[in-house]
Amino acid sequence: MKPNIEAFFDGATWTVSYVVFDEPTGHCVIIAPVLDYDPKSGRTRTTSANKLIAFIEEKNLTTEWILETHAHADHLTAAHYLKKRLGGKTAIGKEIPIVQETFRKIFNLETDFTPDGKQFDHLFADNEVFSVGKLNVKVLSTPGHTPADLSYQVEEAIFVGDTLFMPDVGTARADFPGGSARRLFRSIRKILDYPADTRLFMCHDYPPQGRSPQWETSVGEQRANNVHVRDGIDEDRFVAMREARDRTLEMPTLLLPSIQVNVRAGIMPPSENNGISYLKIPLNVI
């Protein structure tokens, strides 16, 4: 069955969230939802997430899963808010404890924060399969950007998370803790081994000047035109390029606030004795 795919682009973080469903009045998954966050004031809003809710309610869909491709460093996840509003189970890759342990130390998180992934309802293993109504979904482990990255194959479409970008943008960085340009190359080639007409959906787009945001491409287009990893670029050449490029990149604007929330499946840090929840800024660490 061909999936129905509705994309929601957030211009503040360049993130694409998705509602993927089998049919109206059927069943859906949400992929990479955004919780709006103003770093100047520390205020959160649910404007972006409410757009997903409005669509799901309009189509009378039952939400089965709220899927993360990894613990994002460029936006806060709205997974917890959406779960409270719509139901469904939160999920991420089974390697997320590696990421949680790394950032538990960096942020010196509260003593009862346990880096075991149990903040999520389910941890997916590579090649795990499940159904969403009439749709078949397969989990693909695609580490490199982080150790815990996943892609999700829904019938003939793959949601690639932060592995690939549009062909004229290239690929994700691999210099976060636990990242690896070599693993990223192998993960990308795993995706590009699919048939040429396989539809690929990005989770971000950073369009060059003169192009509007886009998020759908294909295996064939990536193999022919991706500026970083098209056919003919071997692993060593890619790794040298990716590592050199990563050394020139600034940290994402929302790295410090987002990762503290995203390793908790969107739950805010526990309130302190004044009833207020705080995010930490580690000095001279990252």
Side-chain angles (χ1 to χ4, degrees), residues 38-94:
D38 178 6
K40 295 178 181 178
S41 67
R43 289 193 172 273
T44 62
R45 293 178 293 108
T46 57
T47 304
S48 295
N50 288 340
K51 293 177 182 178
L52 278 65
I53 293 172
F55 177 82
I56 288 168
E57 291 179 343
E58 176 191 350
K59 296 294 183 182
N60 195 23
L61 300 171
T62 299
T63 303
E64 300 285 351
W65 293 91
I66 303 165
L67 304 176
E68 303 289 1
T69 58
H70 63 294
H72 297 270
D74 40 34
H75 69 268
L76 280 68
T77 179
H80 183 63
Y81 170 73
L82 290 169
K83 179 180 175 180
K84 289 193 298 182
R85 288 289 305 272
L86 299 171
K89 295 180 287 187
T90 59
I92 201 166
K94 71 179 185 66

Short mmCIF file of all heavy atoms in Angstrom, two decimals, residues 38-94:
data_model
loop_
_atom_site.label_atom_id
_atom_site.label_comp_id
_atom_site.label_asym_id
_atom_site.label_seq_id
_atom_site.Cartn_x
_atom_site.Cartn_y
_atom_site.Cartn_z
N ASP A 38 11.95 29.65 21.98
CA ASP A 38 12.59 30.95 21.80
C ASP A 38 13.81 31.02 22.71
O ASP A 38 13.66 31.14 23.94
CB ASP A 38 11.61 32.07 22.13
CG ASP A 38 12.24 33.45 22.00
OD1 ASP A 38 13.40 33.55 21.53
OD2 ASP A 38 11.58 34.44 22.38
N PRO A 39 15.03 30.93 22.16
CA PRO A 39 16.21 30.92 23.03
C PRO A 39 16.45 32.25 23.73
O PRO A 39 17.18 32.30 24.72
CB PRO A 39 17.36 30.59 22.05
CG PRO A 39 16.85 31.04 20.72
CD PRO A 39 15.37 30.82 20.74
N LYS A 40 15.84 33.33 23.25
CA LYS A 40 16.03 34.62 23.90
C LYS A 40 15.25 34.70 25.21
O LYS A 40 15.74 35.25 26.19
CB LYS A 40 15.59 35.75 22.96
CG LYS A 40 16.44 35.86 21.70
CD LYS A 40 15.92 36.96 20.79
CE LYS A 40 16.74 37.05 19.51
NZ LYS A 40 16.22 38.09 18.60
N SER A 41 14.04 34.16 25.21
CA SER A 41 13.19 34.24 26.40
C SER A 41 13.12 32.94 27.19
O SER A 41 12.70 32.94 28.35
CB SER A 41 11.77 34.64 26.00
OG SER A 41 11.16 33.61 25.23
N GLY A 42 13.50 31.81 26.55
CA GLY A 42 13.33 30.51 27.19
C GLY A 42 11.91 30.01 27.17
O GLY A 42 11.58 29.05 27.87
N ARG A 43 11.08 30.61 26.33
CA ARG A 43 9.67 30.19 26.27
C ARG A 43 9.45 29.15 25.18
O ARG A 43 10.06 29.21 24.11
CB ARG A 43 8.76 31.39 26.01
CG ARG A 43 8.64 32.33 27.20
CD ARG A 43 7.51 33.33 27.02
NE ARG A 43 7.29 34.08 28.25
CZ ARG A 43 6.52 33.69 29.25
NH1 ARG A 43 5.88 32.54 29.17
NH2 ARG A 43 6.38 34.44 30.34
N THR A 44 8.58 28.20 25.48
CA THR A 44 8.18 27.20 24.48
C THR A 44 6.77 27.51 24.01
O THR A 44 5.97 28.11 24.72
CB THR A 44 8.22 25.78 25.07
OG1 THR A 44 7.29 25.69 26.15
CG2 THR A 44 9.62 25.43 25.56
N ARG A 45 6.47 27.08 22.79
CA ARG A 45 5.13 27.20 22.22
C ARG A 45 4.82 25.89 21.48
O ARG A 45 5.73 25.15 21.10
CB ARG A 45 5.05 28.37 21.24
CG ARG A 45 5.18 29.75 21.89
CD ARG A 45 5.13 30.87 20.85
NE ARG A 45 6.31 30.82 19.97
CZ ARG A 45 6.30 30.43 18.71
NH1 ARG A 45 5.18 30.01 18.15
NH2 ARG A 45 7.43 30.43 18.00
N THR A 46 3.56 25.66 21.25
CA THR A 46 3.14 24.43 20.58
C THR A 46 2.50 24.71 19.22
O THR A 46 1.75 23.90 18.70
CB THR A 46 2.15 23.65 21.47
OG1 THR A 46 1.03 24.49 21.77
CG2 THR A 46 2.82 23.21 22.77
N THR A 47 2.83 25.84 18.63
CA THR A 47 2.22 26.22 17.35
C THR A 47 2.48 25.17 16.28
O THR A 47 1.55 24.75 15.57
CB THR A 47 2.76 27.58 16.89
OG1 THR A 47 2.53 28.55 17.92
CG2 THR A 47 2.08 28.03 15.61
N SER A 48 3.72 24.74 16.14
CA SER A 48 4.06 23.75 15.10
C SER A 48 3.38 22.42 15.38
O SER A 48 2.82 21.79 14.47
CB SER A 48 5.57 23.56 15.02
OG SER A 48 6.21 24.75 14.60
N ALA A 49 3.43 21.97 16.63
CA ALA A 49 2.80 20.69 16.99
C ALA A 49 1.30 20.74 16.79
O ALA A 49 0.68 19.74 16.38
CB ALA A 49 3.14 20.34 18.43
N ASN A 50 0.69 21.89 17.06
CA ASN A 50 -0.76 22.00 16.90
C ASN A 50 -1.19 21.88 15.44
O ASN A 50 -2.32 21.47 15.15
CB ASN A 50 -1.26 23.32 17.49
CG ASN A 50 -1.21 23.32 19.01
OD1 ASN A 50 -1.17 22.26 19.64
ND2 ASN A 50 -1.19 24.49 19.60
N LYS A 51 -0.32 22.24 14.52
CA LYS A 51 -0.63 22.04 13.10
C LYS A 51 -0.75 20.54 12.78
O LYS A 51 -1.62 20.13 12.01
CB LYS A 51 0.45 22.68 12.22
CG LYS A 51 0.49 24.20 12.30
CD LYS A 51 1.62 24.76 11.46
CE LYS A 51 1.70 26.28 11.58
NZ LYS A 51 2.85 26.84 10.80
N LEU A 52 0.13 19.74 13.36
CA LEU A 52 0.03 18.29 13.19
C LEU A 52 -1.26 17.77 13.79
O LEU A 52 -1.96 16.94 13.19
CB LEU A 52 1.24 17.60 13.81
CG LEU A 52 2.53 17.54 13.01
CD1 LEU A 52 3.14 18.91 12.78
CD2 LEU A 52 3.57 16.65 13.73
N ILE A 53 -1.59 18.24 14.99
CA ILE A 53 -2.80 17.79 15.65
C ILE A 53 -4.03 18.14 14.81
O ILE A 53 -4.93 17.31 14.63
CB ILE A 53 -2.91 18.42 17.05
CG1 ILE A 53 -1.81 17.88 17.95
CG2 ILE A 53 -4.28 18.16 17.67
CD1 ILE A 53 -1.70 18.57 19.29
N ALA A 54 -4.07 19.36 14.28
CA ALA A 54 -5.22 19.78 13.48
C ALA A 54 -5.38 18.89 12.26
O ALA A 54 -6.51 18.50 11.90
CB ALA A 54 -5.06 21.24 13.07
N PHE A 55 -4.27 18.54 11.61
CA PHE A 55 -4.34 17.67 10.43
C PHE A 55 -4.83 16.28 10.81
O PHE A 55 -5.69 15.70 10.14
CB PHE A 55 -2.97 17.59 9.76
CG PHE A 55 -2.93 16.68 8.57
CD1 PHE A 55 -3.37 17.11 7.33
CD2 PHE A 55 -2.48 15.37 8.70
CE1 PHE A 55 -3.36 16.27 6.22
CE2 PHE A 55 -2.47 14.52 7.61
CZ PHE A 55 -2.91 14.97 6.37
N ILE A 56 -4.27 15.74 11.87
CA ILE A 56 -4.65 14.39 12.32
C ILE A 56 -6.12 14.34 12.70
O ILE A 56 -6.85 13.39 12.36
CB ILE A 56 -3.73 13.95 13.47
CG1 ILE A 56 -2.32 13.66 12.92
CG2 ILE A 56 -4.29 12.73 14.20
CD1 ILE A 56 -1.26 13.49 13.99
N GLU A 57 -6.60 15.37 13.36
CA GLU A 57 -8.01 15.41 13.74
C GLU A 57 -8.91 15.60 12.53
O GLU A 57 -10.00 15.02 12.44
CB GLU A 57 -8.23 16.50 14.78
CG GLU A 57 -7.60 16.17 16.13
CD GLU A 57 -7.80 17.26 17.16
OE1 GLU A 57 -8.14 18.41 16.77
OE2 GLU A 57 -7.61 16.97 18.37
N GLU A 58 -8.46 16.41 11.57
CA GLU A 58 -9.24 16.61 10.35
C GLU A 58 -9.43 15.29 9.59
O GLU A 58 -10.49 15.01 9.06
CB GLU A 58 -8.54 17.62 9.44
CG GLU A 58 -9.21 17.84 8.10
CD GLU A 58 -8.35 18.63 7.13
OE1 GLU A 58 -7.31 19.18 7.56
OE2 GLU A 58 -8.71 18.69 5.95
N LYS A 59 -8.36 14.48 9.55
CA LYS A 59 -8.42 13.20 8.84
C LYS A 59 -8.97 12.08 9.72
O LYS A 59 -9.12 10.95 9.25
CB LYS A 59 -7.01 12.81 8.36
CG LYS A 59 -6.40 13.76 7.34
CD LYS A 59 -7.15 13.75 6.03
CE LYS A 59 -6.48 14.64 4.99
NZ LYS A 59 -7.22 14.67 3.72
N ASN A 60 -9.24 12.41 10.98
CA ASN A 60 -9.79 11.43 11.93
C ASN A 60 -8.87 10.21 12.04
O ASN A 60 -9.31 9.06 11.97
CB ASN A 60 -11.21 11.01 11.52
CG ASN A 60 -11.94 10.30 12.64
OD1 ASN A 60 -11.62 10.46 13.82
ND2 ASN A 60 -12.92 9.48 12.28
N LEU A 61 -7.58 10.48 12.25
CA LEU A 61 -6.57 9.43 12.31
C LEU A 61 -6.30 9.02 13.75
O LEU A 61 -6.38 9.83 14.67
CB LEU A 61 -5.26 9.92 11.67
CG LEU A 61 -5.33 10.33 10.20
CD1 LEU A 61 -4.02 11.00 9.79
CD2 LEU A 61 -5.63 9.14 9.31
N THR A 62 -5.93 7.77 13.91
CA THR A 62 -5.47 7.26 15.19
C THR A 62 -3.94 7.24 15.19
O THR A 62 -3.33 6.62 14.32
CB THR A 62 -5.99 5.83 15.44
OG1 THR A 62 -7.42 5.86 15.47
CG2 THR A 62 -5.46 5.27 16.75
N THR A 63 -3.34 7.94 16.14
CA THR A 63 -1.88 8.02 16.20
C THR A 63 -1.33 6.79 16.91
O THR A 63 -1.62 6.55 18.08
CB THR A 63 -1.45 9.29 16.95
OG1 THR A 63 -2.00 10.43 16.29
CG2 THR A 63 0.07 9.41 16.98
N GLU A 64 -0.51 6.03 16.18
CA GLU A 64 0.07 4.82 16.73
C GLU A 64 1.45 5.07 17.34
O GLU A 64 1.78 4.51 18.39
CB GLU A 64 0.19 3.76 15.63
CG GLU A 64 -1.14 3.36 14.99
CD GLU A 64 -1.97 2.46 15.88
OE1 GLU A 64 -1.44 2.02 16.92
OE2 GLU A 64 -3.13 2.22 15.55
N TRP A 65 2.26 5.87 16.65
CA TRP A 65 3.65 6.07 17.07
C TRP A 65 4.05 7.53 16.89
O TRP A 65 3.59 8.20 15.95
CB TRP A 65 4.61 5.22 16.23
CG TRP A 65 4.50 3.74 16.41
CD1 TRP A 65 3.71 2.89 15.69
CD2 TRP A 65 5.19 2.94 17.37
NE1 TRP A 65 3.88 1.60 16.14
CE2 TRP A 65 4.80 1.60 17.17
CE3 TRP A 65 6.13 3.22 18.37
CZ2 TRP A 65 5.30 0.55 17.93
CZ3 TRP A 65 6.63 2.17 19.13
CH2 TRP A 65 6.21 0.86 18.90
N ILE A 66 4.96 7.99 17.73
CA ILE A 66 5.65 9.26 17.56
C ILE A 66 7.14 8.90 17.48
O ILE A 66 7.75 8.50 18.48
CB ILE A 66 5.36 10.22 18.73
CG1 ILE A 66 3.85 10.43 18.85
CG2 ILE A 66 6.09 11.55 18.51
CD1 ILE A 66 3.43 11.07 20.15
N LEU A 67 7.68 8.97 16.29
CA LEU A 67 8.99 8.40 15.98
C LEU A 67 10.07 9.48 15.92
O LEU A 67 9.91 10.50 15.27
CB LEU A 67 8.95 7.67 14.64
CG LEU A 67 7.89 6.56 14.49
CD1 LEU A 67 7.92 6.00 13.08
CD2 LEU A 67 8.14 5.45 15.52
N GLU A 68 11.17 9.21 16.58
CA GLU A 68 12.37 10.06 16.48
C GLU A 68 13.42 9.31 15.66
O GLU A 68 13.62 8.10 15.85
CB GLU A 68 12.93 10.38 17.86
CG GLU A 68 11.96 11.05 18.81
CD GLU A 68 11.63 12.49 18.45
OE1 GLU A 68 12.15 13.01 17.42
OE2 GLU A 68 10.86 13.12 19.19
N THR A 69 14.08 10.02 14.76
CA THR A 69 15.19 9.41 14.04
C THR A 69 16.47 9.41 14.89
O THR A 69 17.34 8.57 14.69
CB THR A 69 15.46 10.14 12.72
OG1 THR A 69 15.75 11.52 12.98
CG2 THR A 69 14.25 10.04 11.80
N HIS A 70 16.55 10.34 15.84
CA HIS A 70 17.67 10.42 16.79
C HIS A 70 17.35 11.53 17.78
O HIS A 70 16.29 12.17 17.67
CB HIS A 70 19.00 10.69 16.06
CG HIS A 70 19.06 12.00 15.34
ND1 HIS A 70 18.28 12.29 14.26
CD2 HIS A 70 19.81 13.12 15.57
CE1 HIS A 70 18.54 13.52 13.83
NE2 HIS A 70 19.46 14.05 14.62
N ALA A 71 18.24 11.78 18.71
CA ALA A 71 18.08 12.91 19.63
C ALA A 71 18.60 14.15 18.92
O ALA A 71 19.80 14.41 18.88
CB ALA A 71 18.84 12.66 20.93
N HIS A 72 17.69 14.91 18.36
CA HIS A 72 18.06 16.06 17.52
C HIS A 72 18.80 17.12 18.33
O HIS A 72 18.54 17.32 19.51
CB HIS A 72 16.80 16.69 16.93
CG HIS A 72 16.06 15.78 16.01
ND1 HIS A 72 16.31 15.71 14.66
CD2 HIS A 72 15.06 14.89 16.25
CE1 HIS A 72 15.50 14.82 14.10
NE2 HIS A 72 14.74 14.31 15.05
N ALA A 73 19.69 17.83 17.63
CA ALA A 73 20.46 18.91 18.24
C ALA A 73 20.04 20.27 17.71
O ALA A 73 20.65 21.28 18.07
CB ALA A 73 21.95 18.70 17.99
N ASP A 74 19.01 20.32 16.88
CA ASP A 74 18.64 21.59 16.25
C ASP A 74 17.21 22.01 16.53
O ASP A 74 16.77 23.07 16.10
CB ASP A 74 18.86 21.51 14.73
CG ASP A 74 18.45 20.17 14.17
OD1 ASP A 74 17.48 19.58 14.68
OD2 ASP A 74 19.11 19.69 13.23
N HIS A 75 16.45 21.17 17.21
CA HIS A 75 15.11 21.57 17.65
C HIS A 75 14.70 20.71 18.84
O HIS A 75 15.19 19.60 19.01
CB HIS A 75 14.08 21.42 16.52
CG HIS A 75 13.78 20.01 16.13
ND1 HIS A 75 14.47 19.35 15.15
CD2 HIS A 75 12.87 19.12 16.62
CE1 HIS A 75 13.99 18.12 15.02
NE2 HIS A 75 13.02 17.95 15.91
N LEU A 76 13.81 21.25 19.64
CA LEU A 76 13.22 20.48 20.73
C LEU A 76 12.10 19.62 20.17
O LEU A 76 11.36 20.05 19.29
CB LEU A 76 12.67 21.41 21.81
CG LEU A 76 13.66 22.01 22.82
CD1 LEU A 76 14.60 23.00 22.12
CD2 LEU A 76 12.91 22.71 23.95
N THR A 77 11.97 18.41 20.67
CA THR A 77 10.91 17.54 20.21
C THR A 77 9.60 17.84 20.93
O THR A 77 9.58 18.12 22.13
CB THR A 77 11.26 16.06 20.38
OG1 THR A 77 10.15 15.26 19.92
CG2 THR A 77 11.53 15.71 21.83
N ALA A 78 8.51 17.73 20.19
CA ALA A 78 7.17 17.87 20.76
C ALA A 78 6.55 16.51 21.08
O ALA A 78 5.34 16.41 21.28
CB ALA A 78 6.27 18.63 19.80
N ALA A 79 7.36 15.47 21.16
CA ALA A 79 6.83 14.12 21.32
C ALA A 79 5.97 13.98 22.57
O ALA A 79 4.90 13.37 22.54
CB ALA A 79 7.98 13.11 21.34
N HIS A 80 6.44 14.52 23.69
CA HIS A 80 5.70 14.35 24.94
C HIS A 80 4.35 15.08 24.87
O HIS A 80 3.32 14.53 25.30
CB HIS A 80 6.54 14.87 26.11
CG HIS A 80 5.91 14.69 27.44
ND1 HIS A 80 5.61 13.45 27.97
CD2 HIS A 80 5.48 15.60 28.37
CE1 HIS A 80 5.06 13.59 29.15
NE2 HIS A 80 4.94 14.88 29.42
N TYR A 81 4.36 16.28 24.34
CA TYR A 81 3.12 17.04 24.20
C TYR A 81 2.14 16.31 23.29
O TYR A 81 0.94 16.19 23.61
CB TYR A 81 3.44 18.42 23.64
CG TYR A 81 2.23 19.23 23.23
CD1 TYR A 81 1.39 19.79 24.18
CD2 TYR A 81 1.94 19.45 21.89
CE1 TYR A 81 0.27 20.54 23.81
CE2 TYR A 81 0.84 20.19 21.50
CZ TYR A 81 0.01 20.74 22.47
OH TYR A 81 -1.09 21.48 22.09
N LEU A 82 2.61 15.79 22.17
CA LEU A 82 1.73 15.10 21.23
C LEU A 82 1.20 13.80 21.82
O LEU A 82 0.05 13.43 21.59
CB LEU A 82 2.49 14.83 19.92
CG LEU A 82 2.79 16.07 19.09
CD1 LEU A 82 3.77 15.74 17.98
CD2 LEU A 82 1.51 16.67 18.51
N LYS A 83 2.03 13.12 22.58
CA LYS A 83 1.56 11.88 23.22
C LYS A 83 0.42 12.19 24.18
O LYS A 83 -0.58 11.43 24.24
CB LYS A 83 2.72 11.20 23.95
CG LYS A 83 2.33 9.93 24.69
CD LYS A 83 3.53 9.31 25.39
CE LYS A 83 3.11 8.11 26.22
NZ LYS A 83 4.27 7.49 26.91
N LYS A 84 0.54 13.28 24.94
CA LYS A 84 -0.54 13.64 25.86
C LYS A 84 -1.82 14.01 25.12
O LYS A 84 -2.92 13.71 25.59
CB LYS A 84 -0.09 14.80 26.75
CG LYS A 84 0.97 14.43 27.78
CD LYS A 84 1.14 15.51 28.82
CE LYS A 84 1.63 16.82 28.19
NZ LYS A 84 1.84 17.86 29.22
N ARG A 85 -1.68 14.63 23.96
CA ARG A 85 -2.85 15.08 23.22
C ARG A 85 -3.47 14.00 22.35
O ARG A 85 -4.69 13.93 22.18
CB ARG A 85 -2.47 16.27 22.33
CG ARG A 85 -2.20 17.57 23.06
CD ARG A 85 -3.48 18.18 23.62
NE ARG A 85 -4.48 18.36 22.58
CZ ARG A 85 -4.57 19.45 21.81
NH1 ARG A 85 -3.71 20.46 21.98
NH2 ARG A 85 -5.51 19.54 20.88
N LEU A 86 -2.62 13.13 21.77
CA LEU A 86 -3.09 12.20 20.75
C LEU A 86 -2.94 10.73 21.12
O LEU A 86 -3.50 9.87 20.43
CB LEU A 86 -2.33 12.44 19.43
CG LEU A 86 -2.47 13.82 18.80
CD1 LEU A 86 -1.48 13.96 17.64
CD2 LEU A 86 -3.89 14.04 18.31
N GLY A 87 -2.17 10.44 22.17
CA GLY A 87 -1.85 9.05 22.43
C GLY A 87 -0.70 8.60 21.56
O GLY A 87 0.06 9.40 21.01
N GLY A 88 -0.54 7.30 21.42
CA GLY A 88 0.58 6.76 20.66
C GLY A 88 1.79 6.52 21.55
O GLY A 88 1.84 6.96 22.70
N LYS A 89 2.77 5.82 21.00
CA LYS A 89 3.98 5.47 21.73
C LYS A 89 5.18 6.21 21.16
O LYS A 89 5.31 6.31 19.93
CB LYS A 89 4.22 3.96 21.68
CG LYS A 89 3.15 3.13 22.38
CD LYS A 89 3.43 1.64 22.31
CE LYS A 89 3.19 1.08 20.91
NZ LYS A 89 3.31 -0.40 20.87
N THR A 90 6.04 6.70 22.04
CA THR A 90 7.28 7.32 21.59
C THR A 90 8.34 6.26 21.36
O THR A 90 8.40 5.25 22.07
CB THR A 90 7.78 8.35 22.62
OG1 THR A 90 7.99 7.68 23.88
CG2 THR A 90 6.77 9.47 22.80
N ALA A 91 9.20 6.49 20.36
CA ALA A 91 10.22 5.50 20.04
C ALA A 91 11.44 6.16 19.43
O ALA A 91 11.37 7.22 18.80
CB ALA A 91 9.66 4.45 19.08
N ILE A 92 12.57 5.49 19.61
CA ILE A 92 13.86 5.94 19.10
C ILE A 92 14.73 4.69 18.99
O ILE A 92 14.30 3.58 19.35
CB ILE A 92 14.47 7.01 20.03
CG1 ILE A 92 15.52 7.87 19.31
CG2 ILE A 92 15.02 6.38 21.31
CD1 ILE A 92 15.88 9.13 20.08
N GLY A 93 15.98 4.82 18.52
CA GLY A 93 16.85 3.67 18.36
C GLY A 93 17.39 3.13 19.67
O GLY A 93 17.57 3.86 20.65
N LYS A 94 17.72 1.85 19.69
CA LYS A 94 18.15 1.19 20.92
C LYS A 94 19.52 1.65 21.39
O LYS A 94 19.93 1.33 22.52
CB LYS A 94 18.14 -0.33 20.73
CG LYS A 94 19.21 -0.90 19.82
CD LYS A 94 19.10 -2.41 19.74
CE LYS A 94 20.24 -3.03 18.93
NZ LYS A 94 21.55 -2.86 19.60
#
